[in-house]
């Protein structure tokens, strides 16, 4: 079973950007930990980052043919992109939404997610661990329903 | 007289994506039918699809010099892109907004269109036929005002 | 196959009333063009106008037994009449909502339609041609589903 | 003591119209049951239906001189007619609002009733039995206060 | 110069209906006083009452050919009828909106008037005198602009 | 067939508390009348009052195993308790919501009921008779569907 | 009987200020016409203008001892001054609110008046004649209730 | 290190209650799996359920002296209890909010959580696994910060 | 004269809980100061704390027979409990609402109080002194009206 | 220690103005009682009233150099004056907001106070005693923090 | 060319008042810098401060006859004074709105400006430099259009 | 010191696009003037335009290493892009938001800026001069704080 992890806009800044909100772990470090956990859970993983909504849509459309599900941290697009929601629903594969910070405790505009209502599950606020918990939850779900 | 048809994000998925909402006709099939109708109406047609808002803006900016109007299904960008609205108003050519589904019967966030208030006309809910009706309406309008 | 076209309140004023909004074509002229198109599409047509919501409800209730669908321009009742919505849903025949003007570009209270969410399709802004496009769309739909 | 039962728009469709919402009992059947109960409770009954708001207003104005109260199912006018509210308050006779379906579980626009705040009581969701319960409640109230 | 006074729904109840809100003067008495004032101001007057929105629309459409303006107390339709607004705007004659009670001091739903923003002037709260002040204001305006 | 009647917070005060709103009948008197009607309708009845939301939840959970449905006057919890709604939906037995006063005519916060949208039916405003009408309606419904 | 007319902020600009909204008549001219009408109606008049809310409050407090009522055009303070409302209510004399323009047809913030709900009557949109109609209405009212 | 798991109202119904929303696993089964995971992670666990908000507050106040953090599924109280929020903040121990269902995809009133903005992290939608992921995330967090 | 002081949920935590918001004085210390002031003012006092809404309702119902009024700090229930409001209104004794912190300066949901509009008076923000000021104000009021 | 008491607009009317809302005590009487209490508490007092927002701002700016804090009843300016808030915050001295009536039980526009969120404490509804309680609370606070 | 700079309420406090928001520069210092820049740009300048809305209105009315435009920092009146807006529009001279702080980053009520929509331009957040930038922008605009 | 100027979507159309809103100056002309002013102020400048949100994010991420701040006209993305806000905050360099038109006077959706609350300053409405004023303000700020 193969899964994809998607990082949205500005996540390359991780570790440098507002560390009091997002912590000091870099995207590479999270990626390393995700690959380890994937090995432990017996799944293959591909990881992508893009600042371009259109690239993320292309990615979802293409990856959907080879992966069983997605772990998605859409960054700021979470709150503004109906297109991302439509792509994830359109390809018909389950996905988990994750965020580093607890978005429910931040600005009002970050409390609306276009993705959450169509996600299988949501994990918020555990820093880099949000990805790991999300991956774990998605894999369990996929084994149960396959 | 030359016209452009623009397909926004995720429309390449047509036929596969949520067929109970969007039907089973593919983008190619709609394109074929549009070219036929264009011939019947005596107009030339160019058809573009992009998942990238920026590409659509570039397209509108460039195409505006050779076309008399646009038929636009902006997909999810309909509800989120002020930039698309500004581009279509900015180039000063009339356009018709079309949607496959009846967006007024869907989620609240799909009921706001940034494009509709500046469109010449709007056609919703006739599946692939929405494009044909929109093209017909636009051509009639252009012949009347030219 | 027989269809009904319904004109709601104030549409008798067409041609005289606010021509910058509604154009100069009269209801009779639109009627003539509708009958021509109906002949071309091979359908029979009956056309009614009333300023009385109750009469429109009676009409729908009665016509429903002999027609396969409706093209409806409910005028101002579009924005205020739940009863019209209930009648059209209640008789179980598909209908298309049409408007001469692009109502999405007008006052806030004209942007809510009680009919649109239960219509098969919606056509806005093409002047008298809105009726013709709506009729064409409805007939295509009825042939496809019959 | 004489009472009036008023049926508003589209209620003639009962039995045919959306049976999953409104059930299969016809207006005639409800009328029969109401007359039986009236006899049992020792009151006279007159029953009216109209699709015309104006006719209902005329009816209330006229009937008010001979009846002690009203059982009213205003159908869709419940949600849109201030005039009906004004008429019922204006004639100064108590009335009970009844609905076949539980309107609190339906579309947002059906959850506002112009009549309820000025009604003596409200009965929702019991199908045809809503009328019977409403009649029973009104008669008890009238005997207590007379 | 000829003018029309329109009384909307439930105004026949005047004198009987909620006298603490509407006073005890009857519609006939107001009519008598209006005819006197009309004579004094040198204008002809026709006065109509209807509980039917459709009849009021027909009246406006017909009267518009013989009158220079309207004094309108649309009663409860003030707050719910877009059609009445459209008719008054559609015939292109100035009108004055009057109310017996001061509607700004009543229920929230009575504080929105579809007519006021397209009226020449508005008079509220003077009981039957609202009509007289409105007529006076309209006549002055018509003499100034004719 | 056995049914349960639930009285929520503060209903023990009945007869003493704001008699101009709630009347002068006591809870005991209503209970007596309910038992009489139950006998007439051939059903058994258990009646409970509690000021504690948690106790009401426990009661619903336990009673659900022996009763066919509930008549519920949740008092103030109607407007604030999602837990009560969840319990009633969770045990899967139909219930009728009743209120002594016509809550639609009271403060804005009393016009939202968490229970009403998931109730079989709703009865408001008939004083103690609301319970009797509700019981009658529930029993009829249960006989029809059993 | 003595009455006071109060002009609020910026009304000294009348005749110069936005004539398409407020007309070309000056405050002096309106004053002259008011004195004439007062003579005709047999009442004494004092007229004040101030750009200072505090001065208007002082004026109301002082004048209240010698006048029977007020005609008030509070200008922009209409929409922002609770203090003016409190002063007018506090002195317990009836007043009529007048405006030169039809404020219901202007910006949203001009559609809320703190004064209107506590005024005896309201006159809007008749230019300088609004004052005359308001004075006439107030005098009639005072004669009726004295 | 000792932790507490709190189950709020109606969770005893789990397995029976709306299985299409909440799944078929019982609270006991989840408890068993939690104890296993706790052993694996080297922490002690105490698990409580109550239908009474007051009992939950007492529990938090008492447990706070012996536990390092909480995993909380407050059920319906999530959306209505400020007191629960205050208790969890008041005792100054970190907690994770978990829900069986994806509450962002349910009724509007379930989309507001009083707890989430003051939680360390949030896990939604993974059925019984939500508790396990939440426990894992909390333990990792506590080890990192201790 | 005997009075009751009611402390709502979480107030046992006082002194430990968020001292930057609530200060460091304990409930016992406040109680001691209240008893002293009561003696000075010549009234008897009983003081209760509960985390259970139902217990507070029972307390109010019972105490009402022996006390002349209440000083109430309902804690978080202030913002969510209609039942508490109903109980305090229901027993017909005056009460004063007090809060340690200035709730108008805190989260939006703490700015709505169900109790304040039916309280005799409100005291906010003086820490433990809020109770003393509230007691003083209540006693003065009771002496004036007895 | 010296303190200032500020009375805002219309408070000179006290005793005459709406006695059912504001009571019959005059501003002079309250002033007398305040001076007495000040003596008892060992503080000096200056008392000002103005109907002019600008004068109140000047007063605050000037008095701030000689007083330790303010007791403020801003009357209607409470609800509309951001400038008053800015002045009180700007001079950096603590103040207590007081009102004669319980503003939370009055019109919606009186329930927003620009001052309350920046006040040290708030006292509402005790008539003239509100000032005394506010003064007492302020003095205690100033002694504690000095 | 002559211009006027207007400082609204509380700006005399500048330098003392909340320096973390408004900085430490005094009004005199800003005035000095403005006069220097005016000399450099070849314009005459008059500078006024008032805490009184009425005085500002009088000032605008009078100055309008001798100045070509205004630089306005209305302080707190920005958010509450329709009268100021009306005065500035009424005299028909362009003005620039300036603020020391970036008001878009402050309390919600500071984010609405009655002046901005009718200003020629807006400058926010540059401390005392906001005035200089505003003056520069206004002068450039006046030279271009004169 | 080096700074970057960013032009967002559709700004290449400047000079052609809606000249009544945006003026006739082209982007090149503004660029020329910006370079001149930069020379005068002693700073280096780089200028970028893109129709692609993703490209703007990449640009900010890259430029941040060599520039001390940004002047940003994000065009339509101002109102829709949380990602742009996050990027500008994320790189931790001050920026000034500028707009050619006065956006506060345009459509409601243009009155919300995601950027303004996190900008150092904002300049609106001076046409091409908005950039020059913004650059000047940013440079002054950077010199003061460096």
């Amino acid at each position: 079973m193969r899964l994809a992890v998607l990082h949205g806009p500005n996540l390359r800044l991780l570790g440098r950007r507002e560390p009091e909100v997002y912590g000091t772990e870099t995207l590479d470090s999270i990626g390393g930990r995700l690959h380890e956990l994937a090995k432990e859970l017996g799944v293959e993983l591909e990881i992508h980052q893009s600042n371009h909504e259109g690239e993320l849509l292309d990615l979802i459309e293409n990856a959907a043919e080879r992966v069983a599900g997605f772990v998605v941290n859409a960054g700021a697009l979470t709150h503004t992109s109906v297109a991302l929601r439509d792509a994830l629903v359109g390809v018909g594969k389950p996905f988990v939404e994750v965020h580093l910070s607890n978005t429910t405790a931040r600005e009002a505009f970050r409390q609306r997610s276009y993705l959450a209502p169509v996600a299988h599950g949501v994990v918020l606020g555990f820093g880099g661990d949000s990805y790991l918990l999300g991956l774990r939850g998605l894999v369990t779900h996929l084994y149960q329903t396959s």
Side-chain angles (χ1 to χ4, degrees), chain A residues 64-93:
Chain A
E65 306 191 355
R66 63 184 179 272
V67 304
F70 296 87
V71 173
V72 182
N73 176 354
L77 293 177
T78 304
H79 319 299
T80 63
S81 176
V82 175
L84 216 52
R85 172 191 176 120
D86 283 0
L88 286 160
V89 170
V91 300
K93 298 289 166 65

Side-chain angles (χ1 to χ4, degrees), chain A residues 12-13 21 43 46 52 55 57 59 61 67 82 93 103 127 129 132 134 143:
Chain A
R12 277 201 303 265
L13 293 171
V21 178
V43 297
E46 53 182 84
H52 301 249
E55 271 179 27
L57 301 179
L59 263 166
E61 192 178 333
V67 304
V82 175
K93 298 289 166 65
T103 51
D129 287 335
L132 301 180
Y143 282 143

Side-chain angles (χ1 to χ4, degrees), chain A residues 2-125:
Chain A
R2 188 174 184 83
L3 300 172
V5 174
L6 301 182
H7 302 296
N10 296 313
L11 285 163
R12 277 201 303 265
L13 293 171
L14 218 62
R16 284 187 281 159
R17 169 196 181 196
E18 299 171 271
E20 72 289 0
V21 178
Y22 298 104
T24 56
E25 192 177 13
T26 64
L27 215 55
D28 274 0
S29 159
I30 293 174
R33 295 207 285 144
L34 277 167
H35 278 300
E36 260 178 64
L37 178 62
K39 197 172 296 175
E40 180 190 326
L41 299 172
V43 297
E44 286 174 282
L45 216 62
E46 53 182 84
I47 304 184
H48 307 278
Q49 191 278 338
S50 175
N51 281 348
H52 301 249
E53 183 195 54
E55 271 179 27
L56 291 165
L57 301 179
D58 291 350
L59 263 166
I60 292 165
E61 192 178 333
N62 295 330
E65 306 191 355
R66 63 184 179 272
V67 304
F70 296 87
V71 173
V72 182
N73 176 354
L77 293 177
T78 304
H79 319 299
T80 63
S81 176
V82 175
L84 216 52
R85 172 191 176 120
D86 283 0
L88 286 160
V89 170
V91 300
K93 298 289 166 65
F95 74 96
V96 168
E97 179 182 4
V98 302
H99 288 286
L100 297 151
S101 64
N102 178 350
T103 51
T104 68
R106 301 182 63 195
E107 301 97 325
F109 62 79
R110 279 192 222 276
Q111 293 175 31
R112 178 185 64 172
S113 164
Y114 281 122
L115 305 185
V118 293
H120 171 68
V122 178
V123 183
L124 309 171

